[in-house]
Amino acid sequence: MVRLFVTDMDHTFLDHTRHYDRQRFKSILSSLHHRGIRFAIASGNQRERIDEYFTGFSIDGMIAENGPYIISKEKVLEVNLFPDSTAQALVQYLSNIPNLHLVICTPIKAFMLNGDDPGRIKMMHEFCPALETVATLLPYAHHIIKISISCPKSQTQTLLDKIETTFPLQVHATSSRFGNIDLIRPGKDKSHGLRLLSNYFGISLADSCVFGDGRNDLTMMRIAGTSVAVANADPEVLTIASQITEAADDNGVLNYLEQYLKQISQ
C-alpha cells in the first residue's frame, strides 16, 4: 500500500498555465489524510513559491530547489548550501560562457543580472518570488543553495558535461528538458529528499509513489516503490516509469490519485 505520494510541480501536477484544480485536490488530500497517507511536493521552485501554490492546504512535506531544501509540515529537515568558495568559482566560470542566463539562489532570495532580457526576468519571478536584479552576481554568491542556468536547448548536454568535468565532486547538475540546468550540492537531489522524508515519516521507500515528467525527476523515480510518469513526460522518464498516467493538462496526477483511492476503498 502506498503511504507517501510525492509529485513534481511544473508540467506534472500543474498544467501548462501553472494551475491545478484546487477544489478537486482539496477533496483528494482530505481522503488521503483520512487514510493516513502522506502527500508531498518535489520541485525546482523556491520554498516561498511552493507555499504560495499550496496556501490553505496541509501538505506533509516539501523538497524544494530540486532537492537540497527539505521541509516537513512541522520543521525544516535539511538545507544543503554550497561552500561559498564553490559558489563563487561556479559564478565566475559560468559568467564567462556566452548565451547563458544565470540565477543564483539562497534559501530565501534569488539574484539575476539587471541587464538580462526583461521577459526572462519576468518569467523567473514565477519561480523565484523574491528575485532581485543586480549589476553583478559575484558579490551575492554567499549562502547559495542552487544556481539555475538557462541555455540553448541544443547546448544543454554539452554544458552539463563541461560543468561536471570542471567541478568534479563539487556539484551535481540536473536538467529538465527545456534547456534549463540546476546546479546543487552532490548527493542532494530529489532522491535524497525522498529518502529523508520517508525516513522522517517512518515510511519505507517501497511504500512511496512519485510522479514526474523531467530528467530532474529520474533519481527519485528510480528509488520509489512506484514511479508514475505523466503522458507528456520526457522519453527517458516514460521509459523508466512503472506506470503512466494522463498528461498534466489532463489532470493526470489527480486522476491517478482518485483512482488509487477508489481502488483501496473497494
Side-chain angles (χ1 to χ4, degrees):
M1 177 177 173
V2 176
R3 298 178 58 206
L4 170 64
F5 284 102
V6 179
T7 182
D8 172 56
M9 279 180 58
D10 295 290
H11 307 285
T12 301
F13 188 78
L14 305 180
D15 64 23
H16 76 278
T17 67
R18 306 198 82 218
H19 290 89
Y20 66 97
D21 188 330
R22 294 178 62 87
Q23 283 301 118
R24 192 176 172 195
F25 177 61
K26 181 179 180 180
S27 175
I28 290 170
L29 187 63
S30 175
S31 295
L32 290 174
H33 284 164
H34 179 72
R35 291 164 174 79
I37 302 171
R38 308 274 190 170
F39 182 88
I41 301 297
S43 174
N45 285 266
Q46 291 197 298
R47 176 185 179 173
E48 184 178 352
R49 178 61 79 210
I50 300 172
D51 283 338
E52 288 178 0
Y53 267 97
F54 293 94
T55 298
F57 294 108
S58 183
I59 62 172
D60 297 289
M62 183 190 306
I63 303 165
E65 306 283 13
N66 261 330
Y69 197 172
I70 305 106
I71 305 141
S72 73
K73 188 188 303 184
E74 298 82 14
K75 63 180 182 178
V76 174
L77 299 179
E78 263 190 22
V79 180
N80 296 288
L81 305 177
F82 281 112
D84 283 353
S85 58
T86 302
Q88 290 161 11
L90 283 165
V91 169
Q92 287 182 312
Y93 173 78
L94 295 167
S95 296
N96 290 319
I97 299 177
N99 301 319
L100 300 188
H101 305 271
L102 305 181
V103 181
I104 61 173
C105 305
T106 74
I108 59 173
K109 298 186 77 170
F111 302 94
M112 191 173 183
L113 290 176
N114 54 27
D116 213 317
D117 175 67
R120 189 173 296 278
I121 293 172
K122 181 179 179 181
M123 179 187 70
M124 291 310 301
H125 268 290
E126 289 295 312
F127 300 92
C128 310
L131 180 69
E132 289 186 19
T133 55
V134 296
T136 181
L137 293 175
L138 193 58
Y140 300 89
H142 302 281
H143 308 295
I144 298 301
I145 193 167
K146 181 182 74 176
I147 298 175
S148 292
I149 307 167
S150 296
C151 67
K153 188 176 179 180
S154 61
Q155 298 177 18
T156 302
Q157 190 58 52
T158 299
L159 183 59
L160 280 167
D161 295 340
K162 283 183 177 179
I163 291 169
E164 293 197 324
T165 299
T166 306
F167 296 91
L169 307 179
Q170 298 177 71
V171 63
H172 171 69
T174 182
S175 174
S176 67
R177 54 204 163 97
F178 300 102
N180 300 312
I181 299 171
D182 280 350
L183 306 182
I184 56 177
R185 289 273 305 278
K188 307 301 180 184
D189 59 15
K190 287 185 178 182
S191 66
H192 172 73
L194 176 60
R195 290 183 194 278
L196 193 66
L197 280 180
S198 297
N199 183 64
Y200 179 76
F201 294 140
I203 295 172
S204 166
L205 286 171
D207 295 328
S208 68
C209 174
V210 303
F211 300 90
D213 77 297
R215 284 179 286 172
N216 55 332
D217 300 316
L218 286 169
T219 59
M220 72 171 180
M221 295 181 79
R222 287 187 173 115
I223 67 169
T226 304
S227 57
V228 184
V230 285
N232 55 284
D234 182 273
E236 187 174 359
V237 174
L238 291 169
T239 298
I240 68 104
S242 57
Q243 298 183 39
I244 299 173
T245 188
E246 293 87 352
D249 280 357
D250 296 321
N251 301 302
V253 173
L254 297 184
N255 295 343
Y256 185 97
L257 292 172
E258 284 182 340
Q259 287 299 316
Y260 181 79
L261 287 166
K262 288 179 182 177
Q263 176 186 330
I264 63 174
S265 296
Q266 292 174 354

